[in-house]
Amino acid sequence: MNIVKVETSPIDGQKPGTSGLRKKVREFQQPGYLENFVQSIFNTIGDCKGKALVIGGDGRFYNREAIQVIVRMAVASGFGRLVIGQGGLLSTPAASCVIRKFNTCGGIILSASHNPGGPDEDFGLKFNGENGGPATETVTDAIFQASKVIDHYLTTESGEIDLDKVGETRVAGTQVQVIDPVSDYAELMESIFDFPKMSALVSNPRFNMCFDAMHAITGPYARDILEKRLGAKPGTVINAEPLEDFGGGHPDPNMVHAHELVAVMNGDAEMDFGAASDGDGDRNMVLGSGFYINPCDSLAVLAANAQLVPGYKQGLAGVARSMPTSRAVDRVAKALDIPCYETPTGWKFFGNLMDAGKITLCGEESFGTGSDHVREKDGLWAVLFWLNVIAERSQPARVIVREHWQRFGRDYFSRHDYEGVDSGSAQQMMQRLGDGLADLPGKEFSGLKVEAADNFHYRDPVDGSESSGQGVRLFFENGARIVMRLSGTGTSGATLRVYFDSYQRDPALIGQDPQKALAALIEAADQIAGIQASTGRKAPDVIT
């Protein structure tokens, strides 16, 4: 089979973010755009001859076409084996699972996570390393540098492979293996959780739950595990068919976008538990009966109850959270006398800690929770964890959370997102804020006095690498905190994220509405940073 060398030149802007390269579909469809980035990954890997690579994605528009391109390029680069999810599908946590199980050199995951899909929407691609986790900053920087000097890419003239048929075939010297995308991951879940006890819970006619797959990748996984293996009633999983445009929805599992699940949970039928997952299956939202469970609280509750789960009965080595996440899990770690690490946003930082054996559980406020079973956050795993705890404690989710607050106190938390704002204005606002940090301590805003202010800097305790400028932190004398940062997950404009958290220990004051409990902080943030003036928005687009 002929290997074709195609001359090319660098394309601006192919810098991977915290979760790879995300752009509009039409940008990826430009001649050479996808090829340049994939070849840059292969050039960074080095000698690909004989190596194994996992390929799969969330099924969004352009997923299948992109996989065919990647396969032809991988064959031309001499990979010995390609492991591909049937239909081109692999959830992000399942891809991590398969990379680790098959001992490959890594994997290419095609996803833009919770971003919308369709011809006019978003597409993404990232490389995960041999540990199954997102590429380190060293690797992503090397990929970016390779993209700036690329002068050719390699491909073949081979025909398309059949992505829908499980089995093995050979293309030139490369073995191409199409696998069931669910089975390896489901077996891993069964090794962690008490499936018999969970089955007794979810198959009980009096227990009613709903899982909203949001027409994204988790549908087949949730149906197989919840309905088939655990025996939940048919129809428990809604919107289970992965669609290229996610059914026209926004596959982000929050109270705004998972509106169908929220309606079910607040409807006339008595519901005990609800959950949703996002586009690529790594995020989760969990709900009790008429009760929203904040992701920060979810991580803390799971850590406090981890020894009820077979896979964690020996205890936790440690826990970690992203810096913007509330400090609820810190209090659990202190009670358990285990380390708690605060990292920048991005799962790659957790991966280092896991590989070094320093942590077992980790999470971030953006609906991501995970453990050392893979090297990605894992939406369905978190839902199964909750079901295992509910089954063991024989208590509803809302009761478990309220009892947690009674024991540890409540960390009121909220995130305000200003989406698609002018990048220049947002960056200028953050620059002004950063330049004035030294002058803030001692000043009072909305009745709250600033105690300290900084821009978060992280030194990795494993490899010593340093990450600066990870988000502005404002600490107040009453223990409250505001965090502001610009997100790198969008494909147009900028997203300003503002995080608020405040601790309340008084049992009589732990049942307030978070927006009311945090009202003074919210007002202080605008006074300090001039959010409305800089964004032109009177209110955030999304509040979680």
Side-chain angles (χ1 to χ4, degrees), residues 485-518:
R485 57 184 291 270
L486 296 180
S487 171
T489 61
T491 59
S492 60
T495 296
L496 171 67
R497 302 200 196 280
V498 188
Y499 313 81
F500 308 93
D501 69 88
S502 181
Y503 181 59
Q504 180 55 253
R505 191 71 186 91
D506 187 343
L509 298 175
I510 60 175
Q512 302 175 73
D513 175 87
Q515 301 309 310
K516 291 182 180 179
L518 297 167

Side-chain angles (χ1 to χ4, degrees), residues 376-407:
E376 288 278 5
K377 48 186 173 278
D378 190 344
L380 186 51
W381 164 90
V383 173
L384 295 173
F385 203 136
W386 266 100
L387 289 173
N388 204 151
V389 171
I390 291 168
E392 281 289 346
R393 292 184 52 156
S394 299
Q395 291 177 306
R398 65 182 184 278
V399 173
I400 293 172
V401 175
R402 284 172 177 153
E403 287 191 359
H404 182 91
W405 291 341
Q406 290 290 333
R407 178 183 174 190

Side-chain angles (χ1 to χ4, degrees), residues 74 126 303 335 371 380:
K126 70 173 182 172
S371 87
L380 186 51

Side-chain angles (χ1 to χ4, degrees), residues 260-283:
E260 188 171 346
L261 172 66
V262 173
V264 169
M265 295 300 294
N266 294 330
D268 295 333
E270 187 176 330
M271 301 298 296
D272 299 287
F273 185 73
S277 192
D278 74 330
D280 67 332
D282 63 358
R283 298 174 189 242

